[in-house]
Amino acid sequence: MQKGDLCLVTGITGYLASWIGKYLIEEGFQVRGTVRKLSNVNQMEKMTELLPGVELVEANLLSEEGWKEAAEGCKWVFHVASPQFNVKADLVETATKGTKHVMHAAFQSGTVRKIVITSSEAAMVFGHQASKLTFSEDDWTNPDGISDYYRSKTLAEKLAWDLVKDQTRNPRGVELASINPCIIFGPSLLPGVRFSVENVKNIAEGKMPMLPDMVLHFVDVRDCARMHIAIMKDPNTNGNRHLSFSAKGSFLDIASAIHDNYSDLGFAPPKKIMPKFFMWPLKFFNKEVASVYPRIGKDTTYISKYPNVYPYQYTDFSDIIRDTMDYLLDNKLVKPKSGNNRA
């Protein structure tokens, strides 16, 4: 990658993608970002203010329209756009069609050299036997019988690898690498509560009276964004999948970190662990519960095969939670429960 190169960032108004766009511009790259609707004037004005010089183009994951024009002249494609847990859409159809449209546009562009696709730990660590506790980039989620979100991430990433290896579709040999973030926390550049951050908000507000007994892996959104760029720059990442995580903790640890740092504001989240038997009957009716049930009460370990790709700057669990809470408080997305506003 060289300064001045044109980079495409799909879904640039998103939590993670906006940080990728910000860092690319700061490093001297040209950035073109896709949005669902250019007619959202307020959002477009906010984006051009946030990302000086960004070019915004309209493209929808479910439609072929706009993707050829979006990829034209680009050398590097960051495919970040993907449906989240809380959207009302066919997650599998949206994720897979979007991946196909972006990949085909990149292959046909004549200029794109490499694609970094944002996948997820969801494509690695679910649908396994309960006895499996250690995971790496060699692991793939079994898409049968799991939630639509985990299934969408798995099938979309598998499709990307199949497409890039198909010489009839990819005659120029465009390279591919994937990044598989764990739970992403940290401040947002755009107002609002993104899905992962909503977990911190809900715990802080006491909306989770009992906490699942699960070990989780986390990454700060700023590190995850920079890691995308590091993967794009490094030819040794071509053809590889890359776990992205820098901290490990549990729902109880999140509640404790909030209490330890914000009790003066009245935050005292419940710290009661949900008994596993409470979840047992739910797994027969709820695919989300069925997907995570094998991990309840287990200490899972993630081991990256490529630990030197990116040196994390935000690695302390408590700091990540504190930065997330500070963002929520600064933007009045959670309100202090006492009179102390830390003015």
Side-chain angles (χ1 to χ4, degrees):
M1 296 180 77
Q2 295 181 347
K3 289 184 178 181
D5 286 351
L6 180 57
C7 305
L8 177 65
V9 181
T10 69
I12 200 163
T13 58
Y15 175 42
L16 173 60
S18 57
W19 277 106
I20 295 172
K22 174 180 170 61
Y23 290 139
L24 286 170
I25 288 172
E26 288 178 355
E27 290 190 27
F29 297 101
Q30 297 183 68
V31 174
R32 178 182 293 155
T34 68
V35 299
R36 283 195 294 270
K37 293 290 182 183
L38 287 171
S39 57
N40 188 336
V41 176
N42 290 336
Q43 187 180 59
M44 297 307 102
E45 289 179 350
K46 179 66 177 177
M47 290 305 300
T48 53
E49 178 185 342
L50 179 68
L51 306 176
V54 70
E55 178 189 356
L56 300 174
V57 297
E58 191 171 302
N60 187 304
L61 293 175
L62 287 171
S63 172
E64 287 183 310
E65 293 183 14
W67 290 109
K68 177 181 178 181
E69 293 77 10
E72 187 175 353
C74 295
K75 289 186 177 180
W76 318 102
V77 173
F78 296 85
H79 179 37
V80 192
S82 185
Q84 296 302 304
F85 266 111
N86 53 348
V87 300
K88 295 181 179 179
D90 184 320
L91 301 184
V92 173
E93 180 186 22
T94 305
T96 53
K97 280 191 173 181
T99 297
K100 182 173 69 173
H101 294 151
V102 172
M103 300 284 287
H104 284 176
F107 297 158
Q108 296 167 9
S109 69
T111 56
V112 172
R113 298 180 183 180
K114 183 175 178 178
I115 304 164
V116 171
I117 186 171
T118 309
S119 186
S120 170
E121 64 170 340
M124 292 184 174
V125 303
F126 293 97
H128 299 280
Q129 294 293 324
S131 58
K132 182 172 175 57
L133 301 178
T134 302
F135 299 89
S136 75
E137 288 91 347
D138 287 335
D139 293 304
W140 280 95
T141 287
N142 178 353
D144 297 330
I146 61 173
S147 80
D148 288 345
Y149 175 74
Y150 301 144
R151 191 163 176 264
S152 72
K153 285 294 189 182
T154 304
L155 296 181
E157 189 189 345
K158 281 182 174 289
L159 175 61
W161 288 112
D162 288 343
L163 291 172
V164 83
K165 293 172 185 176
D166 186 341
Q167 294 183 355
T168 60
R169 295 177 183 269
N170 183 22
R172 294 188 300 109
V174 174
E175 298 287 356
L176 176 68
S178 70
I179 179 170
N180 298 68
C182 299
I183 297 174
I184 303 176
F185 286 153
S188 176
L189 290 172
L190 298 165
V193 182
R194 306 301 165 135
F195 178 78
S196 58
V197 175
E198 193 170 6
N199 286 297
V200 175
K201 174 179 166 66
N202 288 340
I203 292 173
E205 293 179 337
K207 293 179 179 177
M208 297 177 67
M210 289 194 293
L211 304 170
D213 184 14
M214 287 182 64
V215 170
L216 309 168
H217 293 75
F218 306 91
V219 64
D220 187 284
V221 66
R222 294 160 291 187
D223 274 324
C224 191
R226 288 191 176 103
M227 187 171 174
H228 277 73
I229 300 170
I231 289 171
M232 185 68 85
K233 288 179 176 179
D234 186 354
N236 293 317
T237 66
N238 296 353
N240 295 337
R241 309 169 79 205
H242 297 273
L243 269 167
S244 178
F245 67 97
S246 63
K248 181 177 178 179
S250 66
F251 283 98
L252 178 59
D253 293 330
I254 296 172
S256 296
I258 294 170
H259 178 270
D260 292 346
N261 291 285
Y262 298 94
S263 59
D264 61 317
L265 299 182
F267 290 105
K271 297 182 183 179
K272 187 174 182 179
I273 297 298
M274 180 184 296
K276 186 174 182 177
F277 66 81
F278 277 26
M279 300 182 71
W280 185 81
L282 297 176
K283 72 176 186 175
F284 298 103
F285 307 100
N286 187 309
K287 285 187 177 181
E288 299 290 347
V289 175
S291 300
V292 302
Y293 187 80
R295 304 186 64 172
I296 299 297
K298 303 290 180 64
D299 185 1
T300 55
T301 299
Y302 292 179
I303 301 175
S304 176
K305 295 173 63 180
Y306 314 103
N308 298 320
V309 166
Y310 173 76
Y312 294 94
Q313 297 182 36
Y314 300 91
T315 59
D316 183 81
F317 175 85
S318 182
D319 287 347
I320 293 173
I321 301 303
R322 188 163 53 246
D323 285 354
T324 306
M325 276 294 292
D326 286 347
Y327 162 75
L328 292 170
L329 286 164
D330 290 345
N331 288 274
K332 297 180 172 51
L333 299 169
V334 294
K335 295 181 180 180
K337 296 178 179 294
S338 70
N340 185 349
N341 289 315
R342 290 187 180 181

